[in-house]
Amino acid sequence: MVQGSAENIDPRIRRTRQLLHHSLEKLLQKKTFDEISVNDITEEATLNRATFYDHYADKFALLECVVAGRFNELLAERQVHFDGTCSSALNSFVLAVCEYLIRLQGPGEPRQFEPHMELAIISVVKRILLDGLKQHPAQSAITPELKAATVSWAMYGAAKEWARTANRPTAEDMAATVSSLLSPVLHLA
């Protein structure tokens, strides 16, 4: 499904999507993603299945959209915009991924993320990186798609390791380290 930007979506469509997003988020507090069905989501949202499928191909598409929405809100709060040209923007982006994981964890013991949630986060990060890289194409034999895929997996993996480490360094120190490792892959100065 084509999502479109929030500014030019009919208010009824936006409201329906918000209901579906909130329903999935609420259900994820009680169940694992694998245990949640489209039927569960539509019941929670008080919508019918046909309405769900008018907006999303499946529950995986909904999850990715929910993750994208929350992650983009965090980037907007931090005023982070990755355009593919600046290592300080990469540093801020890594810091945002770390913060996003910490927000998802919540208080208490580190939470193990399900593979579906991990893939949704990586996919969202990859899409943002790719959009930035395509704004300023570099002369390289390595495609922007490969760079974005490599960096998104590395960035998520490093942030995940950092989030579950006891006595971890500050998020700022972590972001600086990861950025220094990833800048050469993106050819950032």
Side-chain angles (χ1 to χ4, degrees), residues 2-157:
V2 175
Q3 297 301 318
S5 69
E7 299 84 45
N8 55 4
I9 294 177
D10 181 290
R12 293 168 296 178
I13 293 172
R14 190 176 319 124
R15 182 180 175 283
T16 300
R17 289 181 183 169
Q18 286 172 343
L19 282 170
L20 293 167
H21 290 207
H22 292 302
S23 295
L24 178 58
E25 288 174 328
K26 189 172 181 181
L27 289 166
L28 283 169
Q29 294 173 359
K30 302 178 224 170
K31 299 178 175 185
T32 67
F33 184 73
D34 282 334
E35 295 170 330
I36 298 170
S37 68
V38 169
N39 209 39
D40 294 334
I41 296 165
T42 57
E43 282 181 17
E44 183 70 35
T46 64
L47 298 169
N48 64 47
R49 287 174 59 88
T51 300
F52 177 92
Y53 289 113
D54 284 342
H55 295 272
Y56 299 100
D58 52 32
K59 70 179 190 172
F60 303 99
L62 172 60
L63 177 64
E64 189 171 318
C65 195
V66 168
V67 168
R70 293 292 181 226
F71 190 68
N72 283 320
E73 286 172 10
L74 174 63
L75 291 177
E77 282 174 26
R78 294 179 143 279
Q79 298 179 337
V80 173
H81 177 74
F82 180 76
D83 70 359
T85 63
C86 178
S87 59
S88 65
L90 177 64
N91 189 66
S92 296
F93 195 70
V94 173
L95 193 55
V97 172
C98 291
E99 185 176 331
Y100 185 77
L101 291 183
I102 293 299
R103 285 185 181 186
L104 283 178
Q105 296 258 52
E109 287 295 309
R111 180 172 143 195
Q112 182 68 30
F113 293 117
E114 299 176 56
H116 302 298
M117 179 65 82
E118 289 185 343
L119 290 175
I121 294 167
I122 292 165
S123 178
V124 167
V125 170
K126 178 183 171 188
R127 189 176 319 113
I128 293 169
L129 289 169
L130 185 57
D131 288 347
L133 291 170
K134 284 185 172 181
Q135 287 179 29
H136 302 280
Q139 297 299 323
S140 172
I142 303 169
T143 66
E145 291 80 7
L146 182 56
K147 287 180 185 181
T150 302
V151 170
S152 62
W153 280 89
M155 191 183 298
Y156 176 79

